Amino acid sequence: MQVITAAHPEWIFPFTGLQPAQFRKLVRLVAERGGDAIADGRPGRQWALDLPDRVLLVAAYWRTNLTMRQIGPLFGVSHSAAHRVIDALGPLLALAPVRRRPVEQIAVVDGTLIPTRDHRLAARSKNYRYSTNLQVAIDASTRLVVAVGDPQPGNRNDTIVYRSSGIEEKLDGRPVMADGGYRGNPEVIIPYRKPADGSDLPDWKQALNVEHRTVRAGVEHALARMKCFKILRDYRRAAHTLADAASGIANLHNIILAG
C-alpha cells in the first residue's frame, strides 16, 4: 500500500521542502530531460510509480536520508525498486551547467565536509570522521548555487580541492571570492592577512575584510540550507553517486530559494 504520493499535495512540502508549484516545476524539468523515457532496467517491466511519485521518492530520500527498506514501503514499492528509482532519476535532477555571466557577477566558493561511508573516496578529516570535501559556488548577488565540484577525499585542503574537483574550470572567466584557506590560487580573491611581524592591518584593509566576510557569508548560508537535506550529513551510498546527489540538492536549493 502506497502511503506517500504526489497526488496529495500535503505530502510534498514535509518530505521535499518544496511548495507544490515548485515541485511541479521540478517534475517538468525531469520530464524534459527524458525522465519518462527511462525504463525500469528490467526487460518488459514498467515503473510501478508514475513520474511525479518517482521524483518525490528521490527528493524525499535526499531530504530524510531514510534507508531503502524504510522509504520503499512508504511509496508502496520494494527497497530494490526504490534503489533503481534513485539511480535512474537522481542524475536528471542535477544542476544545469553554469552559464557565462557578466564579469561583474562574482562567484563565492567554499568547501564543506560530507561524512561518507564509502572509504574508496572518503578519508579521515579534521572532524575525525571519514568524509569527502565538497566545493560549492554561489552567485554573490542572487545567492543561487552556480557550480558544484566533484567530491574529493576529506583530508585535502580547500586550496587543493578547488583545483582538483573541477570547480575552478566551471568558474573560469568569473571573479571568485573565498576565505583565506584558498591561498595559492592567485585568481581567487581572499581576505588580507596580518603582516608577519604581527602588526595590525591598515584601516582600509580591515574595512575591505569586513565587506569580504559579509559577501562570503552567503555561501556559508547556502551550505547550511543544502544540509537540510540530511543525506549530506551521513552519505551511505557509493561515493561515485555523491556528485549527482549534491548537484541535485543544489538544484532543489535554487528552486526553493528562487520561489
Side-chain angles (χ1 to χ4, degrees), residues 5-259:
T5 173
H8 297 291
E10 63 270 17
W11 288 111
I12 293 174
F13 181 77
F15 283 93
T16 67
L18 298 168
Q19 297 297 332
Q22 295 171 332
F23 179 76
R24 290 193 294 271
K25 177 181 177 181
L26 181 64
V27 173
R28 288 196 299 270
L29 173 66
V30 174
E32 291 169 0
R33 293 178 173 179
D36 274 329
I38 297 176
D40 190 4
R42 295 175 296 172
R45 295 292 296 271
Q46 297 297 318
W47 292 108
L49 301 174
D50 59 16
L51 182 60
D53 283 345
R54 299 202 305 274
V55 174
L56 180 59
L57 188 153
V58 176
Y61 170 66
W62 289 344
R63 188 79 171 183
T64 63
N65 202 20
L66 295 173
T67 65
M68 298 298 169
R69 293 186 182 276
Q70 290 172 324
I71 201 164
L74 291 177
F75 287 84
V77 297
S78 66
H79 68 275
S80 59
H83 188 89
R84 290 194 301 273
V85 169
I86 293 166
D87 276 346
L89 285 194
L92 298 185
L93 273 66
L95 193 68
V98 63
R99 298 185 180 92
R100 291 282 181 179
R101 301 293 181 91
V103 69
E104 66 272 10
Q105 291 189 336
I106 299 173
V108 189
V109 67
D110 200 2
T112 187
L113 291 174
I114 307 297
T116 305
R117 300 197 188 187
D118 188 348
H119 294 182
R120 289 173 293 182
L121 178 62
R124 284 192 182 276
S125 52
K126 62 185 179 183
N127 63 0
Y128 303 105
R129 300 181 65 180
Y130 279 90
S131 305
T132 50
N133 186 317
L134 181 69
Q135 297 288 304
V136 174
I138 68 166
D139 187 295
S141 58
T142 64
R143 300 200 172 189
L144 299 178
V145 177
V146 295
V148 176
D150 293 328
Q152 301 293 305
N155 59 356
R156 296 183 184 175
N157 294 329
D158 284 338
T159 186
I160 296 172
V161 176
Y162 177 75
R163 297 190 295 268
S164 63
S165 67
I167 200 167
E168 181 182 22
E169 289 76 16
K170 294 178 181 178
L171 299 176
D172 186 38
R174 297 185 61 165
V176 179
M177 294 179 65
D179 61 33
Y182 288 79
R183 292 180 70 193
N185 296 291
E187 71 281 5
V188 178
I189 305 167
I190 63 174
Y192 288 104
R193 296 174 63 88
K194 281 191 174 183
D197 60 8
S199 59
D200 290 334
L201 289 171
D203 290 343
W204 66 272
K205 286 188 176 181
Q206 293 186 33
L208 285 176
N209 281 356
V210 170
E211 292 297 325
H212 194 284
R213 285 195 298 270
T214 301
V215 175
R216 202 173 68 242
V219 70
E220 296 170 357
H221 296 160
L223 289 171
R225 286 190 294 266
M226 287 177 64
K227 286 196 173 183
C228 289
F229 291 84
K230 294 182 180 179
I231 194 173
L232 295 183
R233 302 181 188 181
D234 182 16
Y235 198 80
R236 297 190 301 266
R237 305 190 74 219
H240 69 86
T241 64
L242 176 54
D244 285 334
S247 184
I249 290 169
N251 190 25
L252 296 183
H253 163 274
N254 287 355
I255 293 173
I256 293 170
L257 195 62

